[in-house]
């Protein structure tokens, strides 16, 4: 009887706590068949976490609590998963179990402050105009990363303004003592990243400027217009300090043009990218052709062919969200 009473008391306590806060488990499962030559693959095989998957499979936990007076606090923990063998994907995701995202936030009518590993303002800017929703095989990131910088930053301090009639802005900073290059090596450099976004109705426009101390600033400007059954997008990116995975730097400047058509559950996207300058010594014209078919609210099938820097990759896959 005493154990039963204790159990009921514990359940009552948990119920009271949950009434004031919420915790959500979410994720994406994405697998396919194809060849990702951009990743060094030369044979057709099962794809998971590759450039030719629509997205990386992941598992995440997020929660929030209402503090009263319009103030809220919350967290997000997210890890990447390989559907080859169920292993945690740490490469390119911070190196740790929760390497995709691990941050704490507090927000209200004045905006949102985030502390920890999270998406860069550059990533949010590109999301505004990219027609594939920043899929793994999208043209702009495969050419220029996120305006020369990384998709996420560790030890990031960021602030996002409230939305003012479609306008918003975000600024992020990584302190000199906290910054590491893309290979994970501390390099004693500070980083800042700023975006300004207008997204309302059929229009989405974003500008991003980011800079690593001792290097020249990168910037990107892009926009999208959605006509309903079809959409168009364009961007210009000047990655004057392009951070490679081995910690070295290059330069790449160019533009992208894209169009998307939709008919019922089906959509098709064509994106083109052209170099105006490339420190690798050769200018490329790159292309992506993607088709999607929505099977349900949470599940879709997709096929994509990517021509990037002289190599052609392809993938055919299925994705489910929960």
């Amino acid at each position: 009887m005493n154990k039963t009473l204790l159990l009921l008391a514990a359940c009552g306590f948990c119920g009271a706590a949950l009434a004031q806060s919420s915790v959500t488990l979410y994720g994406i499962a994405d697998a396919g068949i194809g060849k990702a030559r951009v990743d060094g693959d030369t044979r057709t095989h099962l794809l998971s976490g590759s450039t030719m998957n629509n997205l990386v499979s992941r598992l995440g936990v997020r929660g929030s609590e209402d503090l009263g007076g319009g103030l809220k606090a919350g967290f997000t923990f997210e890890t990447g998963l390989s559907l080859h063998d169920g292993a945690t994907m740490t490469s390119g995701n911070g190196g740790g179990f929760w390497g995709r995202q691990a941050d704490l936030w507090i927000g209200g009518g004045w905006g949102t402050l985030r502390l920890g590993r999270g998406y860069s303002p550059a990533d949010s800017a590109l999301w505004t105009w990219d027609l594939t929703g920043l899929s793994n095989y999208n043209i702009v990131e495969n050419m220029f990363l996120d305006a020369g910088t990384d998709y996420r930053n560790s030890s990031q301090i960021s602030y996002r303004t409230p939305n003012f009639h479609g306008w918003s802005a975000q600024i992020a900073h990584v302190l000199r003592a906290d910054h590491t290059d893309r290979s994970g090596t501390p390099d004693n450099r500070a980083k800042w990243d700023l975006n300004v976004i207008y997204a309302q109705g059929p229009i989405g426009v974003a500008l991003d400027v980011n800079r690593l101390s001792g290097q020249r600033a990168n910037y990107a400007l892009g926009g999208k217009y959605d006509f309903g059954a079809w959409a168009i997008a364009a961007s210009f990116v000047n990655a004057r300090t392009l951070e490679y995975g081995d910690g070295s730097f290059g330069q790449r400047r160019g533009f992208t043009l894209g169009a998307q058509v939709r008919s019922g559950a089906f959509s098709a996207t064509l994106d083109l990218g052209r170099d105006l300058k490339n420190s690798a010594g050769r200018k490329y014209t790159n292309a992506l052709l993607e088709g999607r078919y929505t099977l349900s609210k949470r599940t879709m099938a997709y096929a994509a062919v990517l021509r990037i820097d002289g190599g052609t990759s392809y993938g055919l896959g299925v994705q489910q969200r929960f």
Side-chain angles (χ1 to χ4, degrees), residues 84-113:
H84 286 292
D85 55 8
T88 302
M89 288 192 62
T90 58
S91 176
N93 289 313
F97 182 81
W98 297 113
R100 289 189 58 85
Q101 192 169 355
D103 64 14
L104 174 71
W105 61 266
I106 185 166
W110 46 268
T112 303
L113 176 68

Side-chain angles (χ1 to χ4, degrees), residues 18-198:
L18 290 173
Q20 301 173 39
S21 61
S22 65
V23 177
T24 302
L25 177 69
Y26 68 92
I28 294 174
D30 190 313
I33 298 173
K35 178 169 63 177
R37 292 190 63 177
V38 71
D39 297 332
D41 297 335
T42 58
R43 297 180 296 173
T44 299
H45 61 101
L46 187 142
L47 301 175
S48 177
S50 79
T51 298
M52 295 315 298
N53 287 98
N54 180 265
L55 291 174
V56 173
S57 298
R58 68 199 65 175
L59 181 67
V61 181
R62 54 178 169 240
S64 64
E65 181 181 13
D66 191 339
L67 304 178
L71 198 63
K72 289 186 176 182
F75 66 90
T76 304
F77 301 146
E78 186 174 290
T79 185
L81 297 171
S82 169
L83 299 193
H84 286 292
D85 55 8
T88 302
M89 288 192 62
T90 58
S91 176
N93 289 313
F97 182 81
W98 297 113
R100 289 189 58 85
Q101 192 169 355
D103 64 14
L104 174 71
W105 61 266
I106 185 166
W110 46 268
T112 303
L113 176 68
R114 284 184 177 270
L115 305 172
R117 179 166 174 80
Y119 288 92
S120 65
D123 195 78
S124 300
L126 269 61
W127 177 271
T128 305
W129 75 72
D130 183 68
L131 294 172
T132 68
L134 287 189
S135 62
N136 288 6
Y137 42 70
N138 79 83
I139 281 288
V140 67
E141 286 186 327
N142 277 288
M143 290 182 69
F144 311 104
L145 296 179
D146 277 11
T149 190
D150 213 343
Y151 321 119
R152 306 172 189 84
N153 290 315
S154 296
S155 304
Q156 179 175 266
I157 303 167
S158 75
Y159 166 73
R160 185 190 297 274
T161 70
N163 189 299
F164 297 104
H165 305 289
W167 289 96
S168 66
Q170 182 185 6
I171 185 168
H173 183 64
V174 180
L175 296 170
R176 183 184 299 273
D178 294 325
H179 187 262
T180 60
D181 62 26
R182 295 192 70 222
S183 67
T185 304
D187 61 4
N188 199 36
R189 299 176 185 268
K191 177 191 280 188
W192 62 264
D193 191 350
L194 170 68
N195 72 31
V196 179
I197 297 173
Y198 177 79

